[in-house]
Amino acid sequence: MELDRRTFLQKAGVVLLALGGSETVLSILGIDRATAVEVKRYAQTLAQPHPRKLALLVGINQYPQSANLKGCITDVERQRELLIYRFGFHSHDVYTITDASATREKIETAFVEHLIKQAGEEDVVVFHYSGYGSRIKIPHSSHAAQSSETETGNYRLTNSLVPVDGISEAKNEVSEETLMLLARSLATDKVTMVLDTSHTRTGQILQGNLQVRSCPKSPAELPASEERASQEALLQRIHTSQKHNKQIPGTVLAAAGEDQPATEVQWRGFSAGLFTYALTQSLWETTPASTVQISLMQTSQAIEHFMGTQQQPQLQGESNGKQPLFTYHLMPHNPGADGVVTAVEENSKTVELKLTGLPATVLEYYGDNSRFTLFSEKSGSVGEQRSAGVEEKDDAGTRGRGDAGSRRVKGTKLRIASRKGLTAKAQLAEQTASEDFQLHPGQLVQESIRVLPRNPGLVVALDASLGKIERVDATSAFSNSAAVSSVVSAGKQSADCLFGKVKEVQAASVAANLQPDTSSSQKSKLPSPEGYGLFSVGSVPIPSTAVANGEAVKSAVERLVPELTTMLAAKLWRLTENEGSSCLGMRATLETVAPQYKETIRRETLRALPDNSFDRIQLPLSHFYEQVPRVSVGSQIRYRLENYSARPLYVMLLGIDSGGNAITLYSPRTASKSNTSTGTATQQDTRIAPGETRLFPDPSTSFDWIVPGPAGIAEIYLFGSTAPFTKTLKALSAAPQPKGEGERVVDLVSPLKVAQALQKDLQAAHAISSDTIDSGSDAVVLDVNTWATLGFVYQVV
């Protein structure tokens, strides 16, 4: 449901007058119960004076006597930058503890001194932990069990965080029970705990190419006597404050389900928790109207690409419906950013940027000479009003934003001169003549020009279970594939896929995903426990890539060449995703039409929303915001596409279905008069006028898009451009045309050629050439004013 912001606030004011009134009073005032709950919560937040915002961030990479983690310090840095530059925390109110300093005693002391003793009733508190998790044995005589505890004999197992001294001294872990007592001791209920860790022992350090954050040691026998004493003191504090609610206060954002692994990824130049990166990236690009449910949904879908359903983030908290409307109990007052200025060199023309708002899969290939726009308040955007430690304006204040619709982004341009991981050096590229500005840390930047490699190639990781000879043979065989740029050992650097033997559990998973009516030809592709195949980097089997035992490594790699080519095409499509930065006004919704209508996924270009869209609050609908969207085999689906820009848009649909096949929605047009004798037809350009809404497939045709299966992950992309897809259509028409009439979904014969043609079309939509931008012919140069790519990732079940 969407409410005009003025109407929303008017209702909020009325409800505030009626707080404590009966449902009859609310009904007389014309406010339904569901709306009243949300309005009360939102209005109460707005009515408060500027709260103090406090954060305690803990990250541990270096553990003694154990395999070290690599991404926890990055998690803390990303969270700190997000809180200061996006949510207006003062830097001195964000306290960090890392590595050797992160002992049990120091963590608990910091929680008490920095958070409990300082936070008032209306203040906002954030606690973040990245590190190993484990489980601890608690005697039955201890305090009441939490929901995450498991009964075992004379004790119960409860989740725990592993401080740096929790490896050598197993009893020094911080139990979940202690953490919840600490949270309950706070004077405020506006608490958010972000826990990027996992607790179930997997018996392995790696999950495919990702590192697991479950501690490899066995559960501690009992909590330390010091921790038991701390728990008693906390209980006394809670009793004194008369806070007897035993529910988890505020909100807990957990990286994974109870028995699932939380993982971290080693990208080029940095490592980070998969959950923390996806969450903070979502919050950097989110609009003010995004809710905590939407943020978690976007985070879950980003993780799904790597881990399938093996790692599903969880939203936990009070069971009485008091979960916050907005993440961190705060609403950002700007439309989002892709990076932030963190330092300015002496010449005042070179700055250091943290590219915190870009998807990691895009950032890895982000090229020099890419451009960002640094906005100031005078240009009506987000730059100078959001410097470090400055409180956000209240809801009645000016809300910074970029240009909407199809208007070009204007402002001071920064050119990327070099980049290492998340950090880039940028120089002034151009400056609006009338703009009086001064560069300083805390200014936000938004993407303007994206420079990508034209032929990035695939990186294949070799699973740790492969023997030495198998590794040598695989490396040699993959070097002969034009689609593969490099081969690495699992866990050493980022990769696009994993090559290895199919284990029994993975073979059973593939078999279980097949439908009862699976054809004999599909069943013949089922892997044996020792066959070779391809997997996602999180060990999710890629459909139809494994065969029976007995195949040599070289033969397996040669057999996989078509699948590798399709995967490279999908990678090229993925690199163009720009939902958060595009300035084209485009909104798309995946709708399940039958057996029951449901809006499954919605995507829209956030920075191109009309002016009044920033004054609306979109309340979550339970059926709409599934964390991992699912579509059943046999369902009828369609895409609803809206053009809310001032220019016509040309649209193309391409993707990978759940069976691993590259597909497109084929929309034929009548052959030209010169070819009518041949009876052939070609794919037509789909053009959507400003303000127009179109359905794909077109309901006026006889074609219904029925999801065929098998079970698995589907990845569909809708591309929008201000220019026709001339080269892409030519590449599509070069393949044999499907028989029959009307629209239909067809397999792509040469998906890589189509993807490469699409790159050229998207670049041709603007007047900036690779030579002009000093990137050469091997680069793709894309302008956010002329292209939009919206991605839809969902489970077929």
Side-chain angles (χ1 to χ4, degrees):
M1 138 176 85
E2 290 187 347
L3 298 176
D4 176 85
R5 183 168 173 270
R6 180 177 299 176
T7 303
F8 189 89
L9 293 179
Q10 287 175 345
K11 288 192 174 185
V14 174
V15 172
L16 282 174
L17 295 176
L19 284 178
S22 67
E23 294 182 11
T24 303
V25 174
L26 296 176
S27 177
I28 293 173
L29 292 171
I31 300 172
D32 60 86
R33 293 181 62 187
T35 304
V37 171
E38 301 294 348
V39 171
K40 282 183 183 180
R41 191 183 316 158
Y42 180 56
Q44 287 169 341
T45 300
L46 296 180
Q48 300 303 326
H50 290 302
R52 188 176 184 184
K53 290 166 279 192
L54 301 166
L56 172 60
L57 315 178
V58 180
I60 310 171
N61 281 341
Q62 304 295 322
Y63 281 93
Q65 305 173 17
S66 182
N68 288 326
L69 297 171
K70 302 173 183 176
C72 300
I73 305 302
T74 303
D75 289 356
V76 166
E77 292 171 350
R78 284 184 61 83
Q79 190 69 264
R80 184 177 187 276
E81 291 158 355
L82 176 75
L83 295 176
I84 292 174
Y85 298 124
R86 185 80 165 98
F87 285 91
F89 281 61
H90 286 289
S91 57
H92 59 263
D93 285 331
V94 181
Y95 189 73
T96 62
I97 307 177
T98 59
D99 283 345
S101 298
T103 63
R104 179 195 60 79
E105 181 179 4
K106 288 184 178 179
I107 293 172
E108 293 183 2
T109 299
F111 203 110
V112 172
E113 298 295 327
H114 183 66
L115 300 181
I116 295 176
K117 289 186 177 181
Q118 294 195 83
E121 289 187 6
E122 299 302 327
D123 291 344
V124 171
V125 168
V126 174
F127 173 76
H128 179 106
Y129 174 83
S130 286
Y132 274 135
S134 185
R135 283 178 174 156
I136 192 170
K137 296 178 180 179
I138 305 290
H140 281 306
S141 58
S142 295
H143 310 300
Q146 303 290 329
S147 60
S148 61
E149 294 174 347
T150 303
E151 298 287 340
T152 306
N154 296 322
Y155 59 86
R156 48 189 169 84
L157 289 174
T158 188
N159 294 338
S160 62
L161 311 182
V162 181
V164 70
D165 57 345
I167 297 290
S168 56
E169 294 291 337
K171 296 182 180 181
N172 278 335
E173 297 173 22
V174 178
S175 70
E176 184 180 84
E177 186 172 280
T178 297
L179 186 61
M180 293 306 110
L181 288 173
L182 286 165
R184 287 173 57 197
S185 300
L186 290 161
T188 179
D189 290 328
K190 296 178 181 178
V191 185
T192 303
M193 290 188 284
V194 181
L195 306 179
D196 197 343
T197 187
S198 52
H199 309 280
T200 182
R201 292 185 66 198
T202 63
Q204 56 189 20
I205 297 175
L206 295 178
Q207 173 93 6
N209 196 47
L210 311 181
Q211 188 164 356
V212 178
R213 287 187 172 178
S214 296
C215 187
K217 72 178 185 65
S218 300
E221 292 296 328
L222 291 170
S225 57
E226 293 87 350
E227 175 149 354
R228 294 198 297 272
S230 175
Q231 290 180 0
E232 294 298 330
L234 290 169
L235 281 171
Q236 182 61 38
R237 178 190 294 270
I238 293 169
H239 178 74
T240 302
S241 64
Q242 297 183 344
K243 289 185 66 175
H244 302 298
N245 183 10
K246 294 184 179 181
Q247 299 293 333
I248 300 172
T251 304
V252 178
L253 298 174
E258 180 60 24
D259 294 316
Q260 294 181 329
T263 56
E264 62 177 32
V265 187
Q266 182 166 328
W267 281 290
R268 296 183 184 184
F270 71 99
S271 296
L274 185 54
F275 171 67
T276 296
Y277 192 101
L279 176 66
T280 53
Q281 190 266 325
S282 170
L283 292 173
W284 268 106
E285 75 173 14
T286 188
T287 64
S290 292
T291 67
V292 64
Q293 289 88 351
I294 296 175
S295 296
L296 195 66
M297 178 196 70
Q298 293 170 339
T299 301
S300 299
Q301 291 174 22
I303 291 174
E304 185 178 23
H305 170 72
F306 297 86
M307 289 287 288
T309 58
Q310 298 175 112
Q311 180 181 342
Q312 295 180 283
Q314 302 295 306
L315 174 62
Q316 304 165 359
E318 293 182 327
S319 60
N320 54 5
K322 291 186 179 180
Q323 289 178 346
L325 187 57
F326 301 109
T327 310
Y328 301 150
H329 301 262
L330 295 168
M331 189 173 86
H333 285 254
N334 58 58
D338 300 303
V340 59
V341 176
T342 54
V344 181
E345 295 189 358
E346 292 182 1
N347 60 15
S348 298
K349 293 185 178 181
T350 301
V351 301
E352 180 182 276
L353 296 178
K354 277 295 184 71
L355 304 181
T356 51
L358 293 173
T361 50
V362 173
L363 180 63
E364 277 205 286
Y365 294 92
Y366 216 75
D368 293 348
N369 296 305
S370 295
R371 302 288 204 270
F372 288 84
T373 301
L374 188 150
F375 289 103
S376 70
E377 285 188 85
K378 292 182 179 180
S379 62
S381 78
V382 301
E384 297 178 89
Q385 72 180 52
R386 298 288 303 156
S387 58
V390 177
E391 295 281 358
E392 317 104 319
K393 297 186 177 183
D394 62 26
D395 203 74
T398 301
R399 191 189 306 271
R401 53 151 308 162
D403 290 344
S406 58
R407 290 176 289 171
R408 285 190 172 275
V409 170
K410 297 180 180 180
T412 301
K413 294 292 194 299
L414 298 175
R415 178 184 64 84
I416 299 298
S418 63
R419 181 184 62 82
K420 182 178 180 181
L422 291 161
T423 305
K425 293 286 187 180
Q427 299 171 340
L428 284 174
E430 56 184 275
Q431 178 181 340
T432 303
S434 61
E435 190 168 21
D436 181 19
F437 79 104
Q438 183 177 2
L439 291 169
H440 57 76
Q443 291 172 298
L444 304 186
V445 298
Q446 295 179 337
E447 183 179 37
S448 177
I449 299 291
R450 181 180 300 183
V451 178
L452 298 167
R454 192 170 296 277
N455 300 298
L458 290 175
V459 179
V460 180
L462 302 182
D463 188 70
S465 65
L466 293 176
K468 182 177 180 179
I469 295 178
E470 291 172 311
R471 291 171 177 272
V472 172
D473 289 347
T475 302
S476 176
F478 279 118
S479 67
N480 295 323
S481 172
V484 177
S485 61
S486 61
V487 180
V488 300
S489 296
K492 299 301 182 182
Q493 71 174 64
S494 63
D496 298 295
C497 62
L498 185 77
F499 175 78
K501 292 180 179 179
V502 182
K503 301 176 182 178
E504 291 185 12
V505 61
Q506 293 166 330
S509 174
V510 174
N513 283 334
L514 289 176
Q515 303 303 309
D517 59 350
T518 301
S519 66
S520 58
S521 62
Q522 285 178 298
K523 290 178 180 178
S524 68
K525 295 182 180 180
L526 278 177
S528 72
E530 296 299 325
Y532 295 106
L534 292 174
F535 308 84
S536 76
V537 292
S539 294
V540 179
I542 295 175
S544 303
T545 63
V547 297
N549 190 19
E551 186 181 30
V553 170
K554 182 178 179 180
S555 299
V557 173
E558 290 175 348
R559 172 180 55 80
L560 293 171
V561 167
E563 283 78 9
L564 292 168
T565 303
T566 298
M567 292 176 65
L568 179 55
K571 180 175 181 175
L572 298 184
W573 297 333
R574 203 175 297 123
L575 286 174
T576 69
E577 279 194 276
N578 67 338
E579 177 182 2
S581 63
S582 176
C583 290
L584 289 186
M586 184 167 134
R587 178 184 296 114
T589 306
L590 169 60
E591 300 176 341
T592 301
V593 181
Q596 183 177 0
Y597 179 82
K598 180 176 71 171
E599 289 181 317
T600 304
I601 308 175
R602 178 181 294 172
R603 293 281 185 260
E604 58 188 336
T605 49
L606 303 177
R607 290 182 194 152
L609 290 169
D611 292 341
N612 61 357
S613 292
F614 282 86
D615 292 332
R616 296 187 304 185
I617 304 298
Q618 185 175 58
L619 302 180
L621 304 176
S622 59
H623 73 277
F624 185 85
Y625 297 104
E626 294 178 296
Q627 284 189 34
V628 181
R630 291 174 171 82
V631 178
S632 300
V633 172
S635 298
Q636 179 186 344
I637 63 172
R638 69 186 181 196
Y639 289 85
R640 180 182 299 273
L641 189 59
E642 304 170 58
N643 176 9
Y644 56 85
S645 69
R647 288 182 285 179
L649 292 182
Y650 295 86
V651 179
M652 178 69 63
L653 186 151
L654 300 164
I656 309 294
D657 68 14
S658 59
N661 305 301
I663 61 172
T664 186
L665 179 62
Y666 179 76
S667 300
R669 63 183 172 189
T670 305
S672 63
K673 291 182 179 180
S674 60
N675 293 329
T676 52
S677 61
T678 65
T680 61
T682 56
Q683 172 90 334
Q684 72 172 347
D685 232 330
T686 301
R687 183 178 182 273
I688 304 179
E692 183 183 4
T693 297
R694 291 277 295 274
L695 295 175
F696 301 90
D698 188 338
S700 65
T701 67
S702 59
F703 174 69
D704 292 332
W705 188 339
I706 305 299
V707 178
I713 296 177
E715 188 175 353
I716 306 297
Y717 295 94
L718 279 169
F719 303 91
S721 175
T722 56
F725 290 98
T726 307
K727 291 181 172 59
T728 308
L729 293 174
K730 185 177 180 180
L732 289 170
S733 63
Q737 299 301 304
K739 297 179 180 180
E741 299 180 356
E743 288 185 317
R744 74 213 79 156
V745 175
V746 299
D747 292 344
L748 296 181
V749 177
S750 303
L752 184 55
K753 290 182 179 179
V754 172
Q756 291 167 340
L758 182 82
Q759 286 181 329
K760 296 176 182 178
D761 281 332
L762 293 179
Q763 177 164 325
H766 64 85
I768 305 175
S769 67
S770 299
D771 294 334
T772 303
I773 209 93
D774 297 326
S775 295
S777 59
D778 291 335
V780 179
V781 181
L782 304 176
D783 186 342
V784 298
N785 292 286
T786 62
W787 117 91
T789 303
L790 304 180
F792 295 79
V793 179
Y794 56 91
Q795 285 278 340
V796 175
V797 296

